[in-house]
């Protein structure tokens, strides 16, 4: 065993229970940080990096912690081929450079913000139609608005439904996390790939003739092979909806549970952008990201063997008391710079400015301005789920 992961020299968290983590991962993350910066976790056969310092360091050393994994292939299978997120530089950099121009702050402000504003208005109308007895903020607002924003960002035709986009995204996310090889999950991924590929069969020739500034259009513009274009469209579908959706509900949930902080934000004392960053730190939508050790290495006093599967616990780093004072406390005034909710290093989230604009400039301010009494409906059940990808799957609200 030592030759596989070198775990004889490192702490072993034989108590880590992925089932319990689905309900609330934070108590186990705290125990892991106390155990050490690095720990082997038999339940998922992975070495976890648990603290902010070691995770940031690993992201600076892709020559050891590779994304071009040959054994972590669930993402490649879920999406039908290998996207930029499962490549190292220089292959990754070429694909990433294609989409950066349309996702930088200037493009987000000029091109996408007006669309986000329209989408938010439209889905607040829908929420108001559902009414304060029945409304579920996840189902009736966060999911469709995140879905419509992504339809626009990808340059997909406007007759693509928000439900279809949500279904594709959910099936890909389930596939990426399908470590237990559930055949039904693979079936749903393949169905989604077929539907998206049929759509791209029509769309790609149109965008070649008439570029439209979208992510898909930019991937084509730089002359990438069509397989890479498709892989990265599937990747963007998987990551571009689920996390923004969760950030919207997490923010409303966090502010409702801290009414004094909600007042500070609504009165303008604290910027929406700061509330967004603190929520991303405190309830991170992506809890863990995978890497593979590709050469034997000494790392912070531990031996890691080539071939070891590693999990970088972003959500745990974001509760590290060495970096964040009183880390379990939600505090919109702390200006939570340095959190790792969007990753770090070369794969740091390409869509972070778009997500922040959509949520902190539009979704949340407009929600509270059009529905000033918006609050949780505690007579109905709130459901949280997941620890690798974590969010609220049902958030009953009233006003
Ligand atoms: C609040 C919302 C979001 C969160 C928390 C989030 C989080 C992340 C994280 C942690 C990574 C790094 C994964 C890794 O290194 O293994 C990532 C990468 C990525 N994200 Fe996001 N994301 C969000 C929104 C978006 C949106 C809206 C888009 C697209 C419009 C997007 C597109 C991407 C892409 C393409 C990558 C891969 C970048 C690369 O490999 O260089 N994300 N995201």
């Amino acid at each position: 065993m030592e030759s596989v992961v070198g775990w004889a020299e490192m702490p072993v968290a034989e108590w880590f229970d992925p089932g319990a983590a689905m309900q609330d991962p934070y108590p186990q993350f705290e125990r892991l940080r106390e155990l050490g910066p690095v720990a082997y976790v038999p339940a998922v056969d992975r070495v976890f990096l648990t603290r902010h310092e070691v995770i940031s360091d690993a992201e600076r050393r892709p020559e050891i912690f590779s994304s071009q994994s040959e054994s972590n292939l669930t993402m490649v299978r879920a999406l039908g081929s290998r996207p930029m997120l499962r490549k190292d530089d220089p292959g990754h950099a070429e694909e990433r450079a294609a989409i950066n121009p349309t996702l930088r702050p200037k493009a987000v402000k000029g091109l996408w913000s007006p669309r986000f504003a329209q989408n938010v208005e439209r889905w607040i109308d829908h929420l108001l139609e559902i009414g304060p007895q029945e409304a579920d903020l996840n189902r009736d607002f966060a999911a469709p608005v995140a879905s419509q924003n992504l339809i626009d960002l990808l340059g997909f035709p406007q007759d693509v439904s928000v439900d279809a986009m949500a279904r594709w995204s959910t099936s890909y996310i389930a596939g990426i996390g399908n470590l237990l090889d559930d055949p039904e999950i693979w079936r749903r991924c393949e169905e989604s790939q077929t539907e998206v590929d049929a759509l791209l069969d029509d769309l790609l020739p149109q965008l070649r003739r008439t570029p439209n500034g979208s992510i898909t259009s930019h991937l084509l513009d730089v002359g990438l092979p069509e397989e890479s274009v498709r892989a990265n469209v599937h990747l963007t579908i998987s990551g571009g909806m689920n996390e923004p959706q969760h950030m919207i509900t997490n923010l409303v949930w966090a502010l409702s549970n801290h009414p004094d902080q909600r007042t500070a934000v609504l009165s303008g004392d604290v910027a929406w952008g700061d509330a967004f960053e603190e929520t991303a730190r405190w309830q991170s939508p992506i809890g863990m990201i995978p890497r593979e050790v590709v050469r034997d290495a000494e790392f912070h006093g531990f031996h890691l063997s080539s071939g070891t599967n590693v999990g970088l616990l972003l959500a745990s780093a974001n509760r590290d008391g060495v970096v964040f004072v009183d880390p379990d406390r939600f505090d919109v005034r702390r200006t939570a710079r340095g959190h790792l909710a969007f990753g770090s290093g070369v794969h740091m989230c390409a869509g972070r400015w778009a997500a922040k604009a959509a949520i902190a400039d539009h979704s949340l301010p407009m929600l509270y301005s059009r529905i000033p009494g918006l609050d949780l409906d505690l007579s109905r059940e709130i459901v949280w789920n997941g620890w690798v990808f974590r969010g609220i799957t049902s958030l009953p609200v009233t006003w």
Side-chain angles (χ1 to χ4, degrees):
M1 290 299 271
E2 192 178 355
S3 64
V4 179
V5 293
W7 60 266
E9 295 146 310
M10 75 173 62
V12 178
E14 75 291 329
W15 43 262
F16 184 84
D17 176 358
M22 299 287 270
Q23 302 310 312
D24 178 5
Y26 288 105
Q28 294 195 84
F29 288 167
E30 186 176 359
R31 247 183 112 181
L32 283 167
R33 284 194 305 279
E34 279 165 7
L35 195 62
V38 171
Y40 176 67
V41 179
V44 290
D45 189 21
R46 223 171 247 279
V47 170
F48 280 173
L49 308 193
T50 69
R51 298 181 191 161
H52 194 286
E53 184 198 1
V54 285
I55 293 175
S56 305
D57 193 24
E59 289 287 63
R60 285 190 291 267
R61 298 163 78 177
E63 70 285 1
I64 299 173
F65 297 94
S66 168
S67 297
Q68 178 93 31
S69 174
E70 300 308 330
S71 58
N72 276 314
L73 290 175
T74 55
M75 177 180 276
V76 177
R77 181 162 178 193
L79 305 182
S81 48
R82 186 180 284 275
M84 66 178 87
L85 190 49
R86 286 292 171 272
K87 293 185 181 178
D88 293 327
D89 286 350
H92 155 265
E94 191 192 352
E95 297 178 19
R96 173 69 187 249
I99 64 169
N100 279 340
T102 197
L103 290 172
R104 288 212 181 92
K106 199 168 159 216
V108 167
K109 195 159 182 253
L111 192 58
W112 303 119
S113 263
R115 305 274 197 97
F116 297 158
Q118 266 178 15
N119 297 340
V120 167
E121 292 289 9
R122 183 211 169 310
W123 288 100
I124 294 178
D125 291 344
H126 174 75
L127 188 67
L128 286 165
E129 274 164 31
I130 300 286
Q133 313 297 325
E134 303 283 328
D136 179 329
L137 194 73
N138 180 54
R139 182 194 62 202
D140 303 321
F141 179 73
V145 91
S147 205
Q148 186 61 52
N149 288 347
L150 191 57
I151 289 169
D152 291 351
L153 283 161
L154 282 165
F156 278 11
Q158 288 299 312
D159 61 1
V160 171
S161 74
V162 292
D163 291 341
M165 180 58 91
R167 185 162 45 77
W168 299 331
S169 184
T170 311
S171 65
Y172 291 159
I173 290 279
I176 293 166
N178 194 13
L179 301 175
L180 300 178
D181 245 353
D182 179 341
E184 175 55 20
I185 291 181
W186 293 133
R187 194 196 59 73
R188 288 204 295 268
C189 283
E190 279 153 26
E191 194 176 84
S192 295
Q193 286 167 25
T194 307
E195 289 175 25
V196 174
D197 279 330
L199 186 154
L200 292 175
D201 289 344
D202 291 336
L203 182 64
L204 298 186
Q206 285 173 32
L207 291 178
R208 278 204 176 90
R209 285 193 301 274
T210 323
N212 66 2
S214 66
I215 292 174
T216 313
S217 194
H218 276 266
L219 286 164
L220 279 173
D221 283 354
V222 296
L224 292 177
E226 192 165 312
E227 193 191 348
S228 303
V229 173
R230 287 174 187 259
N232 288 309
V233 168
H234 292 291
L235 170 71
T236 310
I237 291 174
S238 73
M241 190 204 143
N242 197 60
E243 281 68 64
Q245 171 189 350
H246 287 158
M247 277 299 297
I248 292 172
T249 44
N250 289 358
L251 254 158
V252 170
W253 178 83
L255 292 176
S256 293
N257 281 305
H258 301 84
D260 52 327
Q261 299 193 46
R262 181 173 55 192
T263 304
V265 178
L266 293 179
S267 68
D269 278 358
V270 172
W272 275 111
D274 288 341
F276 173 89
E277 299 294 346
E278 171 63 353
T279 305
R281 179 197 73 81
W282 189 58
Q283 296 291 340
S284 308
I286 299 187
M288 184 196 85
I289 56 174
R291 296 290 186 263
E292 184 176 317
V293 174
V294 285
R295 66 175 193 226
D296 288 0
E298 292 303 315
F299 184 69
H300 291 260
F302 297 95
H303 176 73
L304 292 174
S305 304
S306 180
T308 302
N309 281 323
V310 175
L312 279 55
L313 292 187
L314 302 181
S316 172
N318 287 341
R319 297 283 188 106
D320 186 338
V322 174
V323 179
F324 303 104
V325 177
D326 199 359
D328 292 328
R329 190 166 49 87
F330 176 70
D331 179 2
V332 291
R333 295 180 193 273
R334 75 164 76 230
T335 55
R337 304 292 174 244
H339 72 71
L340 299 181
F342 292 102
S344 62
V346 298
H347 291 282
M348 188 172 186
C349 179
R352 62 193 186 279
W353 292 296
K356 189 168 178 176
I359 295 164
D361 294 350
H362 300 292
S363 302
L364 271 289
M366 283 191 206
L367 257 183
Y368 284 100
S369 121
R370 288 191 58 194
I371 316 181
L374 183 74
D375 215 337
L376 307 183
D377 179 352
L378 296 175
S379 68
R380 292 180 281 147
E381 194 192 359
I382 299 170
V383 184
W384 281 88
N385 196 25
W387 65 277
V388 177
F389 298 103
R390 180 167 176 78
I392 300 174
T393 52
S394 181
L395 188 65
V397 287
T398 190
W399 51 89

